[in-house]
Amino acid sequence: MQIQKSLLLLFVCMTFVQIGCSQEAKPSYGNNAAAGRYYSVRGIKLYTEVYGTGKPLLLIHGNGGSINAFASNIPYFAKKYKVIAVDSRAHGKSRDDRDSLSFEMMADDFAALMDVMHIDSAYVIGWSDGGINAIELAMRHPDKVIKLASTGANLWPDSTGIIPSYWKQEQIDYNAKKNTVFTTAREKNDWKVFLLDWFQPNIKLSALKTIKCPSLIIAGDHDLIPTEHTVLISQNIPKAYLWIVPNSGHPTLIEHSDEFNKKVDEFFVKPFNKR
């Protein structure tokens, strides 16, 4: 009996050690001092975390988000890419005290960040506002993007670029707060970030023709972005493929992370076949 108790105690101790090691080994994405660093870019400091080695892969999160949005994706891609996860201007740990904010501004930030990091070009994954940023980056700095995967992006702010129910809620939120006098830095920043999606983006379909790189345009089949809008985006990018993810909402890369990671990786690896 004593031997059985001893063996049981040893098993329990080993289990706790294994659990502890597993938890300790998992990085806190977006708050990982070992991988994190600030880069001075265009008058602000962008917070980045770098994982893995290989060809550069830039990850761009959505509105109000941070690097942590890619917690389900970084471990997969870090096995074969140099993953560069960034807190966008005015998001996460990347502060920006100025009043204005635009997608063009952020796209220029990412291009400048790559220059500072001595990276000529990179693969790019963008989600939501990050998907818009990926498209803007490819338009404004075409030599910086090898291939891009953009999920949940829209080109303009209205009920054709965003599903009507969500756009109506945006209108309610805007009208409720538009006359508010914000006093704290956090309140001012949150309002600036909200307004980014209220007034922007404003991308013409014709502008998509300037994108040179192969592009994978993605959305969920019940995304915040109407499927028709996502189809329009893919149809107007010369080297684009379309993927509407079944049984998925806006966070395709989270709800279907395994499939998302594999499919995007396959797209990056395979040569582009002209349609």
PDB file of all heavy atoms in Angstrom, residues 38-46 88-90 94-98 100-116 133 137 140-141 144:
ATOM      1  N   TYR A  38      11.028  47.933 -28.789  1.00  0.00           N
ATOM      2  CA  TYR A  38      10.476  49.133 -29.411  1.00  0.00           C
ATOM      3  C   TYR A  38      11.398  49.617 -30.523  1.00  0.00           C
ATOM      4  O   TYR A  38      12.627  49.604 -30.376  1.00  0.00           O
ATOM      5  CB  TYR A  38      10.312  50.248 -28.385  1.00  0.00           C
ATOM      6  CG  TYR A  38       9.160  50.059 -27.432  1.00  0.00           C
ATOM      7  CD1 TYR A  38       9.341  49.414 -26.211  1.00  0.00           C
ATOM      8  CD2 TYR A  38       7.889  50.519 -27.750  1.00  0.00           C
ATOM      9  CE1 TYR A  38       8.284  49.240 -25.326  1.00  0.00           C
ATOM     10  CE2 TYR A  38       6.823  50.348 -26.879  1.00  0.00           C
ATOM     11  CZ  TYR A  38       7.026  49.707 -25.667  1.00  0.00           C
ATOM     12  OH  TYR A  38       5.972  49.529 -24.804  1.00  0.00           O
ATOM     13  N   TYR A  39      10.798  50.036 -31.626  1.00  0.00           N
ATOM     14  CA  TYR A  39      11.548  50.633 -32.730  1.00  0.00           C
ATOM     15  C   TYR A  39      11.032  52.058 -32.957  1.00  0.00           C
ATOM     16  O   TYR A  39       9.815  52.282 -33.005  1.00  0.00           O
ATOM     17  CB  TYR A  39      11.380  49.821 -34.017  1.00  0.00           C
ATOM     18  CG  TYR A  39      12.107  48.499 -34.006  1.00  0.00           C
ATOM     19  CD1 TYR A  39      11.474  47.351 -33.519  1.00  0.00           C
ATOM     20  CD2 TYR A  39      13.412  48.386 -34.478  1.00  0.00           C
ATOM     21  CE1 TYR A  39      12.129  46.131 -33.515  1.00  0.00           C
ATOM     22  CE2 TYR A  39      14.074  47.163 -34.480  1.00  0.00           C
ATOM     23  CZ  TYR A  39      13.424  46.052 -33.988  1.00  0.00           C
ATOM     24  OH  TYR A  39      14.079  44.836 -33.972  1.00  0.00           O
ATOM     25  N   SER A  40      11.959  52.991 -33.085  1.00  0.00           N
ATOM     26  CA  SER A  40      11.581  54.370 -33.381  1.00  0.00           C
ATOM     27  C   SER A  40      11.246  54.479 -34.859  1.00  0.00           C
ATOM     28  O   SER A  40      12.101  54.259 -35.722  1.00  0.00           O
ATOM     29  CB  SER A  40      12.726  55.321 -33.027  1.00  0.00           C
ATOM     30  OG  SER A  40      12.969  55.306 -31.634  1.00  0.00           O
ATOM     31  N   VAL A  41       9.992  54.811 -35.132  1.00  0.00           N
ATOM     32  CA  VAL A  41       9.489  54.838 -36.508  1.00  0.00           C
ATOM     33  C   VAL A  41       8.616  56.067 -36.701  1.00  0.00           C
ATOM     34  O   VAL A  41       7.598  56.223 -36.014  1.00  0.00           O
ATOM     35  CB  VAL A  41       8.670  53.559 -36.826  1.00  0.00           C
ATOM     36  CG1 VAL A  41       7.993  53.675 -38.178  1.00  0.00           C
ATOM     37  CG2 VAL A  41       9.552  52.332 -36.781  1.00  0.00           C
ATOM     38  N   ARG A  42       9.008  56.937 -37.581  1.00  0.00           N
ATOM     39  CA  ARG A  42       8.172  58.070 -37.995  1.00  0.00           C
ATOM     40  C   ARG A  42       7.607  58.870 -36.813  1.00  0.00           C
ATOM     41  O   ARG A  42       6.436  59.210 -36.757  1.00  0.00           O
ATOM     42  CB  ARG A  42       7.040  57.570 -38.890  1.00  0.00           C
ATOM     43  CG  ARG A  42       7.527  57.107 -40.243  1.00  0.00           C
ATOM     44  CD  ARG A  42       6.519  56.331 -41.061  1.00  0.00           C
ATOM     45  NE  ARG A  42       5.133  56.658 -40.872  1.00  0.00           N
ATOM     46  CZ  ARG A  42       4.495  57.678 -41.462  1.00  0.00           C
ATOM     47  NH1 ARG A  42       5.158  58.478 -42.291  1.00  0.00           N
ATOM     48  NH2 ARG A  42       3.206  57.874 -41.244  1.00  0.00           N
ATOM     49  N   GLY A  43       8.460  59.128 -35.836  1.00  0.00           N
ATOM     50  CA  GLY A  43       8.082  59.971 -34.715  1.00  0.00           C
ATOM     51  C   GLY A  43       7.406  59.266 -33.558  1.00  0.00           C
ATOM     52  O   GLY A  43       7.044  59.905 -32.568  1.00  0.00           O
ATOM     53  N   ILE A  44       7.200  57.958 -33.658  1.00  0.00           N
ATOM     54  CA  ILE A  44       6.622  57.179 -32.554  1.00  0.00           C
ATOM     55  C   ILE A  44       7.478  55.936 -32.325  1.00  0.00           C
ATOM     56  O   ILE A  44       8.421  55.674 -33.071  1.00  0.00           O
ATOM     57  CB  ILE A  44       5.167  56.755 -32.850  1.00  0.00           C
ATOM     58  CG1 ILE A  44       5.127  55.829 -34.074  1.00  0.00           C
ATOM     59  CG2 ILE A  44       4.262  57.955 -33.030  1.00  0.00           C
ATOM     60  CD1 ILE A  44       3.774  55.174 -34.299  1.00  0.00           C
ATOM     61  N   LYS A  45       7.136  55.195 -31.281  1.00  0.00           N
ATOM     62  CA  LYS A  45       7.820  53.940 -31.010  1.00  0.00           C
ATOM     63  C   LYS A  45       6.831  52.793 -31.200  1.00  0.00           C
ATOM     64  O   LYS A  45       5.824  52.713 -30.493  1.00  0.00           O
ATOM     65  CB  LYS A  45       8.397  53.932 -29.597  1.00  0.00           C
ATOM     66  CG  LYS A  45       9.575  54.875 -29.426  1.00  0.00           C
ATOM     67  CD  LYS A  45      10.210  54.732 -28.054  1.00  0.00           C
ATOM     68  CE  LYS A  45      11.442  55.625 -27.936  1.00  0.00           C
ATOM     69  NZ  LYS A  45      12.077  55.498 -26.611  1.00  0.00           N
ATOM     70  N   LEU A  46       7.139  51.936 -32.157  1.00  0.00           N
ATOM     71  CA  LEU A  46       6.296  50.765 -32.422  1.00  0.00           C
ATOM     72  C   LEU A  46       6.805  49.583 -31.611  1.00  0.00           C
ATOM     73  O   LEU A  46       7.986  49.229 -31.681  1.00  0.00           O
ATOM     74  CB  LEU A  46       6.314  50.409 -33.905  1.00  0.00           C
ATOM     75  CG  LEU A  46       5.499  51.261 -34.873  1.00  0.00           C
ATOM     76  CD1 LEU A  46       5.588  50.683 -36.274  1.00  0.00           C
ATOM     77  CD2 LEU A  46       4.036  51.364 -34.453  1.00  0.00           C
ATOM     78  N   SER A  88       0.042  48.053 -33.736  1.00  0.00           N
ATOM     79  CA  SER A  88      -0.100  49.193 -34.630  1.00  0.00           C
ATOM     80  C   SER A  88      -0.091  50.509 -33.858  1.00  0.00           C
ATOM     81  O   SER A  88      -0.366  50.548 -32.654  1.00  0.00           O
ATOM     82  CB  SER A  88      -1.416  49.088 -35.421  1.00  0.00           C
ATOM     83  OG  SER A  88      -1.466  47.890 -36.154  1.00  0.00           O
ATOM     84  N   ARG A  89       0.193  51.578 -34.555  1.00  0.00           N
ATOM     85  CA  ARG A  89       0.150  52.927 -33.975  1.00  0.00           C
ATOM     86  C   ARG A  89      -1.151  53.136 -33.178  1.00  0.00           C
ATOM     87  O   ARG A  89      -2.243  52.829 -33.663  1.00  0.00           O
ATOM     88  CB  ARG A  89       0.239  53.938 -35.121  1.00  0.00           C
ATOM     89  CG  ARG A  89       0.052  55.380 -34.738  1.00  0.00           C
ATOM     90  CD  ARG A  89      -0.030  56.235 -35.959  1.00  0.00           C
ATOM     91  NE  ARG A  89       1.236  56.325 -36.682  1.00  0.00           N
ATOM     92  CZ  ARG A  89       2.054  57.377 -36.670  1.00  0.00           C
ATOM     93  NH1 ARG A  89       1.722  58.456 -35.978  1.00  0.00           N
ATOM     94  NH2 ARG A  89       3.172  57.371 -37.362  1.00  0.00           N
ATOM     95  N   ALA A  90      -1.005  53.650 -31.954  1.00  0.00           N
ATOM     96  CA  ALA A  90      -2.141  53.936 -31.065  1.00  0.00           C
ATOM     97  C   ALA A  90      -2.837  52.677 -30.549  1.00  0.00           C
ATOM     98  O   ALA A  90      -3.951  52.758 -30.021  1.00  0.00           O
ATOM     99  CB  ALA A  90      -3.157  54.858 -31.737  1.00  0.00           C
ATOM    100  N   SER A  94       2.068  50.459 -28.483  1.00  0.00           N
ATOM    101  CA  SER A  94       2.578  51.483 -29.407  1.00  0.00           C
ATOM    102  C   SER A  94       1.760  52.769 -29.235  1.00  0.00           C
ATOM    103  O   SER A  94       0.678  52.907 -29.790  1.00  0.00           O
ATOM    104  CB  SER A  94       2.497  50.999 -30.859  1.00  0.00           C
ATOM    105  OG  SER A  94       3.304  49.869 -31.052  1.00  0.00           O
ATOM    106  N   ARG A  95       2.270  53.684 -28.466  1.00  0.00           N
ATOM    107  CA  ARG A  95       1.533  54.920 -28.174  1.00  0.00           C
ATOM    108  C   ARG A  95       1.663  55.919 -29.318  1.00  0.00           C
ATOM    109  O   ARG A  95       2.649  55.943 -30.045  1.00  0.00           O
ATOM    110  CB  ARG A  95       2.060  55.554 -26.891  1.00  0.00           C
ATOM    111  CG  ARG A  95       1.672  54.823 -25.621  1.00  0.00           C
ATOM    112  CD  ARG A  95       2.027  55.638 -24.400  1.00  0.00           C
ATOM    113  NE  ARG A  95       1.432  56.972 -24.440  1.00  0.00           N
ATOM    114  CZ  ARG A  95       1.699  57.926 -23.541  1.00  0.00           C
ATOM    115  NH1 ARG A  95       2.542  57.682 -22.564  1.00  0.00           N
ATOM    116  NH2 ARG A  95       1.119  59.113 -23.647  1.00  0.00           N
ATOM    117  N   ASP A  96       0.637  56.758 -29.422  1.00  0.00           N
ATOM    118  CA  ASP A  96       0.652  57.859 -30.388  1.00  0.00           C
ATOM    119  C   ASP A  96      -0.297  58.927 -29.857  1.00  0.00           C
ATOM    120  O   ASP A  96      -1.511  58.745 -29.869  1.00  0.00           O
ATOM    121  CB  ASP A  96       0.208  57.375 -31.773  1.00  0.00           C
ATOM    122  CG  ASP A  96       0.065  58.521 -32.758  1.00  0.00           C
ATOM    123  OD1 ASP A  96       0.742  59.546 -32.578  1.00  0.00           O
ATOM    124  OD2 ASP A  96      -0.729  58.385 -33.706  1.00  0.00           O
ATOM    125  N   ASP A  97       0.256  60.015 -29.382  1.00  0.00           N
ATOM    126  CA  ASP A  97      -0.547  61.048 -28.727  1.00  0.00           C
ATOM    127  C   ASP A  97      -1.149  62.062 -29.694  1.00  0.00           C
ATOM    128  O   ASP A  97      -1.859  62.973 -29.272  1.00  0.00           O
ATOM    129  CB  ASP A  97       0.300  61.788 -27.681  1.00  0.00           C
ATOM    130  CG  ASP A  97       0.752  60.860 -26.553  1.00  0.00           C
ATOM    131  OD1 ASP A  97      -0.017  59.925 -26.232  1.00  0.00           O
ATOM    132  OD2 ASP A  97       1.861  61.054 -26.023  1.00  0.00           O
ATOM    133  N   ARG A  98      -0.873  61.912 -30.965  1.00  0.00           N
ATOM    134  CA  ARG A  98      -1.427  62.859 -31.927  1.00  0.00           C
ATOM    135  C   ARG A  98      -2.919  62.615 -32.159  1.00  0.00           C
ATOM    136  O   ARG A  98      -3.431  61.536 -31.888  1.00  0.00           O
ATOM    137  CB  ARG A  98      -0.647  62.772 -33.243  1.00  0.00           C
ATOM    138  CG  ARG A  98       0.712  63.475 -33.164  1.00  0.00           C
ATOM    139  CD  ARG A  98       1.550  63.231 -34.382  1.00  0.00           C
ATOM    140  NE  ARG A  98       2.205  61.931 -34.330  1.00  0.00           N
ATOM    141  CZ  ARG A  98       3.159  61.554 -35.179  1.00  0.00           C
ATOM    142  NH1 ARG A  98       3.554  62.369 -36.129  1.00  0.00           N
ATOM    143  NH2 ARG A  98       3.707  60.379 -35.062  1.00  0.00           N
ATOM    144  N   SER A 100      -4.706  62.692 -35.097  1.00  0.00           N
ATOM    145  CA  SER A 100      -5.138  62.017 -36.321  1.00  0.00           C
ATOM    146  C   SER A 100      -4.638  60.582 -36.387  1.00  0.00           C
ATOM    147  O   SER A 100      -3.634  60.213 -35.776  1.00  0.00           O
ATOM    148  CB  SER A 100      -4.630  62.786 -37.551  1.00  0.00           C
ATOM    149  OG  SER A 100      -3.221  62.822 -37.559  1.00  0.00           O
ATOM    150  N   LEU A 101      -5.375  59.794 -37.153  1.00  0.00           N
ATOM    151  CA  LEU A 101      -5.001  58.394 -37.372  1.00  0.00           C
ATOM    152  C   LEU A 101      -5.599  57.965 -38.705  1.00  0.00           C
ATOM    153  O   LEU A 101      -6.757  58.250 -39.000  1.00  0.00           O
ATOM    154  CB  LEU A 101      -5.552  57.514 -36.242  1.00  0.00           C
ATOM    155  CG  LEU A 101      -5.169  56.036 -36.244  1.00  0.00           C
ATOM    156  CD1 LEU A 101      -3.663  55.867 -36.069  1.00  0.00           C
ATOM    157  CD2 LEU A 101      -5.911  55.283 -35.140  1.00  0.00           C
ATOM    158  N   SER A 102      -4.806  57.287 -39.516  1.00  0.00           N
ATOM    159  CA  SER A 102      -5.307  56.825 -40.812  1.00  0.00           C
ATOM    160  C   SER A 102      -4.635  55.519 -41.190  1.00  0.00           C
ATOM    161  O   SER A 102      -3.556  55.182 -40.692  1.00  0.00           O
ATOM    162  CB  SER A 102      -5.051  57.875 -41.900  1.00  0.00           C
ATOM    163  OG  SER A 102      -3.666  57.937 -42.222  1.00  0.00           O
ATOM    164  N   PHE A 103      -5.279  54.809 -42.099  1.00  0.00           N
ATOM    165  CA  PHE A 103      -4.699  53.562 -42.588  1.00  0.00           C
ATOM    166  C   PHE A 103      -3.441  53.832 -43.403  1.00  0.00           C
ATOM    167  O   PHE A 103      -2.484  53.052 -43.358  1.00  0.00           O
ATOM    168  CB  PHE A 103      -5.732  52.801 -43.437  1.00  0.00           C
ATOM    169  CG  PHE A 103      -6.837  52.211 -42.623  1.00  0.00           C
ATOM    170  CD1 PHE A 103      -8.110  52.767 -42.636  1.00  0.00           C
ATOM    171  CD2 PHE A 103      -6.625  51.106 -41.820  1.00  0.00           C
ATOM    172  CE1 PHE A 103      -9.142  52.236 -41.877  1.00  0.00           C
ATOM    173  CE2 PHE A 103      -7.639  50.555 -41.053  1.00  0.00           C
ATOM    174  CZ  PHE A 103      -8.908  51.126 -41.082  1.00  0.00           C
ATOM    175  N   GLU A 104      -3.435  54.924 -44.138  1.00  0.00           N
ATOM    176  CA  GLU A 104      -2.246  55.280 -44.921  1.00  0.00           C
ATOM    177  C   GLU A 104      -1.062  55.536 -43.993  1.00  0.00           C
ATOM    178  O   GLU A 104       0.061  55.119 -44.274  1.00  0.00           O
ATOM    179  CB  GLU A 104      -2.537  56.525 -45.767  1.00  0.00           C
ATOM    180  CG  GLU A 104      -3.551  56.318 -46.878  1.00  0.00           C
ATOM    181  CD  GLU A 104      -4.993  56.396 -46.420  1.00  0.00           C
ATOM    182  OE1 GLU A 104      -5.235  56.655 -45.220  1.00  0.00           O
ATOM    183  OE2 GLU A 104      -5.897  56.181 -47.263  1.00  0.00           O
ATOM    184  N   MET A 105      -1.333  56.213 -42.892  1.00  0.00           N
ATOM    185  CA  MET A 105      -0.305  56.505 -41.901  1.00  0.00           C
ATOM    186  C   MET A 105       0.291  55.206 -41.342  1.00  0.00           C
ATOM    187  O   MET A 105       1.511  55.051 -41.230  1.00  0.00           O
ATOM    188  CB  MET A 105      -0.935  57.323 -40.773  1.00  0.00           C
ATOM    189  CG  MET A 105       0.016  57.887 -39.749  1.00  0.00           C
ATOM    190  SD  MET A 105      -0.903  58.710 -38.402  1.00  0.00           S
ATOM    191  CE  MET A 105      -1.634  60.085 -39.314  1.00  0.00           C
ATOM    192  N   MET A 106      -0.586  54.271 -41.015  1.00  0.00           N
ATOM    193  CA  MET A 106      -0.125  53.014 -40.435  1.00  0.00           C
ATOM    194  C   MET A 106       0.621  52.162 -41.459  1.00  0.00           C
ATOM    195  O   MET A 106       1.628  51.516 -41.138  1.00  0.00           O
ATOM    196  CB  MET A 106      -1.298  52.250 -39.835  1.00  0.00           C
ATOM    197  CG  MET A 106      -1.834  52.891 -38.562  1.00  0.00           C
ATOM    198  SD  MET A 106      -3.030  51.859 -37.667  1.00  0.00           S
ATOM    199  CE  MET A 106      -4.482  52.118 -38.659  1.00  0.00           C
ATOM    200  N   ALA A 107       0.151  52.166 -42.703  1.00  0.00           N
ATOM    201  CA  ALA A 107       0.854  51.418 -43.750  1.00  0.00           C
ATOM    202  C   ALA A 107       2.274  51.951 -43.920  1.00  0.00           C
ATOM    203  O   ALA A 107       3.232  51.171 -44.070  1.00  0.00           O
ATOM    204  CB  ALA A 107       0.090  51.503 -45.067  1.00  0.00           C
ATOM    205  N   ASP A 108       2.427  53.259 -43.884  1.00  0.00           N
ATOM    206  CA  ASP A 108       3.759  53.861 -43.978  1.00  0.00           C
ATOM    207  C   ASP A 108       4.610  53.492 -42.760  1.00  0.00           C
ATOM    208  O   ASP A 108       5.830  53.334 -42.873  1.00  0.00           O
ATOM    209  CB  ASP A 108       3.648  55.377 -44.101  1.00  0.00           C
ATOM    210  CG  ASP A 108       3.049  55.820 -45.430  1.00  0.00           C
ATOM    211  OD1 ASP A 108       2.933  54.974 -46.354  1.00  0.00           O
ATOM    212  OD2 ASP A 108       2.688  57.009 -45.555  1.00  0.00           O
ATOM    213  N   ASP A 109       3.957  53.360 -41.589  1.00  0.00           N
ATOM    214  CA  ASP A 109       4.679  52.915 -40.392  1.00  0.00           C
ATOM    215  C   ASP A 109       5.311  51.545 -40.612  1.00  0.00           C
ATOM    216  O   ASP A 109       6.478  51.317 -40.268  1.00  0.00           O
ATOM    217  CB  ASP A 109       3.729  52.807 -39.194  1.00  0.00           C
ATOM    218  CG  ASP A 109       3.266  54.149 -38.664  1.00  0.00           C
ATOM    219  OD1 ASP A 109       3.895  55.172 -38.980  1.00  0.00           O
ATOM    220  OD2 ASP A 109       2.262  54.166 -37.916  1.00  0.00           O
ATOM    221  N   PHE A 110       4.519  50.622 -41.170  1.00  0.00           N
ATOM    222  CA  PHE A 110       5.009  49.251 -41.346  1.00  0.00           C
ATOM    223  C   PHE A 110       6.159  49.202 -42.356  1.00  0.00           C
ATOM    224  O   PHE A 110       7.121  48.454 -42.179  1.00  0.00           O
ATOM    225  CB  PHE A 110       3.874  48.327 -41.766  1.00  0.00           C
ATOM    226  CG  PHE A 110       2.773  48.243 -40.757  1.00  0.00           C
ATOM    227  CD1 PHE A 110       1.451  48.483 -41.109  1.00  0.00           C
ATOM    228  CD2 PHE A 110       3.043  47.947 -39.426  1.00  0.00           C
ATOM    229  CE1 PHE A 110       0.432  48.427 -40.181  1.00  0.00           C
ATOM    230  CE2 PHE A 110       2.026  47.887 -38.483  1.00  0.00           C
ATOM    231  CZ  PHE A 110       0.718  48.133 -38.857  1.00  0.00           C
ATOM    232  N   ALA A 111       6.056  50.001 -43.404  1.00  0.00           N
ATOM    233  CA  ALA A 111       7.143  50.059 -44.382  1.00  0.00           C
ATOM    234  C   ALA A 111       8.410  50.608 -43.738  1.00  0.00           C
ATOM    235  O   ALA A 111       9.512  50.080 -43.957  1.00  0.00           O
ATOM    236  CB  ALA A 111       6.733  50.932 -45.572  1.00  0.00           C
ATOM    237  N   ALA A 112       8.249  51.645 -42.931  1.00  0.00           N
ATOM    238  CA  ALA A 112       9.402  52.237 -42.249  1.00  0.00           C
ATOM    239  C   ALA A 112       9.989  51.273 -41.217  1.00  0.00           C
ATOM    240  O   ALA A 112      11.212  51.212 -41.034  1.00  0.00           O
ATOM    241  CB  ALA A 112       8.993  53.550 -41.583  1.00  0.00           C
ATOM    242  N   LEU A 113       9.120  50.524 -40.534  1.00  0.00           N
ATOM    243  CA  LEU A 113       9.583  49.533 -39.572  1.00  0.00           C
ATOM    244  C   LEU A 113      10.466  48.499 -40.261  1.00  0.00           C
ATOM    245  O   LEU A 113      11.529  48.116 -39.737  1.00  0.00           O
ATOM    246  CB  LEU A 113       8.395  48.843 -38.906  1.00  0.00           C
ATOM    247  CG  LEU A 113       8.730  47.668 -37.982  1.00  0.00           C
ATOM    248  CD1 LEU A 113       9.504  48.148 -36.760  1.00  0.00           C
ATOM    249  CD2 LEU A 113       7.450  46.941 -37.549  1.00  0.00           C
ATOM    250  N   MET A 114      10.049  48.040 -41.425  1.00  0.00           N
ATOM    251  CA  MET A 114      10.841  47.062 -42.165  1.00  0.00           C
ATOM    252  C   MET A 114      12.211  47.637 -42.538  1.00  0.00           C
ATOM    253  O   MET A 114      13.219  46.938 -42.477  1.00  0.00           O
ATOM    254  CB  MET A 114      10.068  46.598 -43.395  1.00  0.00           C
ATOM    255  CG  MET A 114       8.845  45.753 -43.049  1.00  0.00           C
ATOM    256  SD  MET A 114       7.709  45.487 -44.435  1.00  0.00           S
ATOM    257  CE  MET A 114       8.735  44.533 -45.532  1.00  0.00           C
ATOM    258  N   ASP A 115      12.231  48.911 -42.888  1.00  0.00           N
ATOM    259  CA  ASP A 115      13.517  49.551 -43.199  1.00  0.00           C
ATOM    260  C   ASP A 115      14.422  49.569 -41.976  1.00  0.00           C
ATOM    261  O   ASP A 115      15.612  49.239 -42.060  1.00  0.00           O
ATOM    262  CB  ASP A 115      13.287  50.985 -43.692  1.00  0.00           C
ATOM    263  CG  ASP A 115      12.735  51.043 -45.106  1.00  0.00           C
ATOM    264  OD1 ASP A 115      12.901  50.055 -45.850  1.00  0.00           O
ATOM    265  OD2 ASP A 115      12.138  52.071 -45.456  1.00  0.00           O
ATOM    266  N   VAL A 116      13.867  49.950 -40.832  1.00  0.00           N
ATOM    267  CA  VAL A 116      14.647  50.021 -39.593  1.00  0.00           C
ATOM    268  C   VAL A 116      15.163  48.643 -39.198  1.00  0.00           C
ATOM    269  O   VAL A 116      16.267  48.510 -38.660  1.00  0.00           O
ATOM    270  CB  VAL A 116      13.791  50.629 -38.455  1.00  0.00           C
ATOM    271  CG1 VAL A 116      14.506  50.520 -37.117  1.00  0.00           C
ATOM    272  CG2 VAL A 116      13.478  52.087 -38.750  1.00  0.00           C
ATOM    273  N   ASN A 133      -4.819  47.412 -43.646  1.00  0.00           N
ATOM    274  CA  ASN A 133      -3.430  47.873 -43.629  1.00  0.00           C
ATOM    275  C   ASN A 133      -2.553  47.075 -44.586  1.00  0.00           C
ATOM    276  O   ASN A 133      -1.655  47.623 -45.234  1.00  0.00           O
ATOM    277  CB  ASN A 133      -2.862  47.779 -42.213  1.00  0.00           C
ATOM    278  CG  ASN A 133      -3.261  48.950 -41.346  1.00  0.00           C
ATOM    279  OD1 ASN A 133      -3.242  50.092 -41.794  1.00  0.00           O
ATOM    280  ND2 ASN A 133      -3.632  48.674 -40.114  1.00  0.00           N
ATOM    281  N   LEU A 137      -0.563  48.738 -47.531  1.00  0.00           N
ATOM    282  CA  LEU A 137       0.883  48.551 -47.614  1.00  0.00           C
ATOM    283  C   LEU A 137       1.281  48.079 -49.000  1.00  0.00           C
ATOM    284  O   LEU A 137       2.262  48.565 -49.583  1.00  0.00           O
ATOM    285  CB  LEU A 137       1.334  47.548 -46.552  1.00  0.00           C
ATOM    286  CG  LEU A 137       2.834  47.221 -46.489  1.00  0.00           C
ATOM    287  CD1 LEU A 137       3.658  48.462 -46.179  1.00  0.00           C
ATOM    288  CD2 LEU A 137       3.092  46.129 -45.444  1.00  0.00           C
ATOM    289  N   ARG A 140       0.802  51.138 -51.414  1.00  0.00           N
ATOM    290  CA  ARG A 140       1.690  52.280 -51.207  1.00  0.00           C
ATOM    291  C   ARG A 140       3.171  51.908 -51.270  1.00  0.00           C
ATOM    292  O   ARG A 140       4.013  52.738 -51.619  1.00  0.00           O
ATOM    293  CB  ARG A 140       1.389  52.931 -49.855  1.00  0.00           C
ATOM    294  CG  ARG A 140      -0.001  53.543 -49.780  1.00  0.00           C
ATOM    295  CD  ARG A 140      -0.337  54.029 -48.374  1.00  0.00           C
ATOM    296  NE  ARG A 140       0.461  55.185 -47.978  1.00  0.00           N
ATOM    297  CZ  ARG A 140       0.166  56.440 -48.298  1.00  0.00           C
ATOM    298  NH1 ARG A 140      -0.904  56.710 -49.032  1.00  0.00           N
ATOM    299  NH2 ARG A 140       0.916  57.443 -47.880  1.00  0.00           N
ATOM    300  N   HIS A 141       3.465  50.658 -50.929  1.00  0.00           N
ATOM    301  CA  HIS A 141       4.861  50.195 -50.896  1.00  0.00           C
ATOM    302  C   HIS A 141       4.934  48.805 -51.524  1.00  0.00           C
ATOM    303  O   HIS A 141       5.230  47.815 -50.833  1.00  0.00           O
ATOM    304  CB  HIS A 141       5.377  50.169 -49.462  1.00  0.00           C
ATOM    305  CG  HIS A 141       5.249  51.484 -48.750  1.00  0.00           C
ATOM    306  ND1 HIS A 141       6.189  52.489 -48.862  1.00  0.00           N
ATOM    307  CD2 HIS A 141       4.267  51.965 -47.933  1.00  0.00           C
ATOM    308  CE1 HIS A 141       5.811  53.537 -48.131  1.00  0.00           C
ATOM    309  NE2 HIS A 141       4.656  53.240 -47.564  1.00  0.00           N
ATOM    310  N   LYS A 144       7.571  46.095 -50.857  1.00  0.00           N
ATOM    311  CA  LYS A 144       7.734  45.602 -49.488  1.00  0.00           C
ATOM    312  C   LYS A 144       6.978  44.303 -49.227  1.00  0.00           C
ATOM    313  O   LYS A 144       7.212  43.639 -48.213  1.00  0.00           O
ATOM    314  CB  LYS A 144       7.241  46.660 -48.490  1.00  0.00           C
ATOM    315  CG  LYS A 144       8.071  47.934 -48.449  1.00  0.00           C
ATOM    316  CD  LYS A 144       9.442  47.676 -47.876  1.00  0.00           C
ATOM    317  CE  LYS A 144      10.220  48.962 -47.677  1.00  0.00           C
ATOM    318  NZ  LYS A 144      11.613  48.692 -47.244  1.00  0.00           N
TER     319      LYS A 144
END
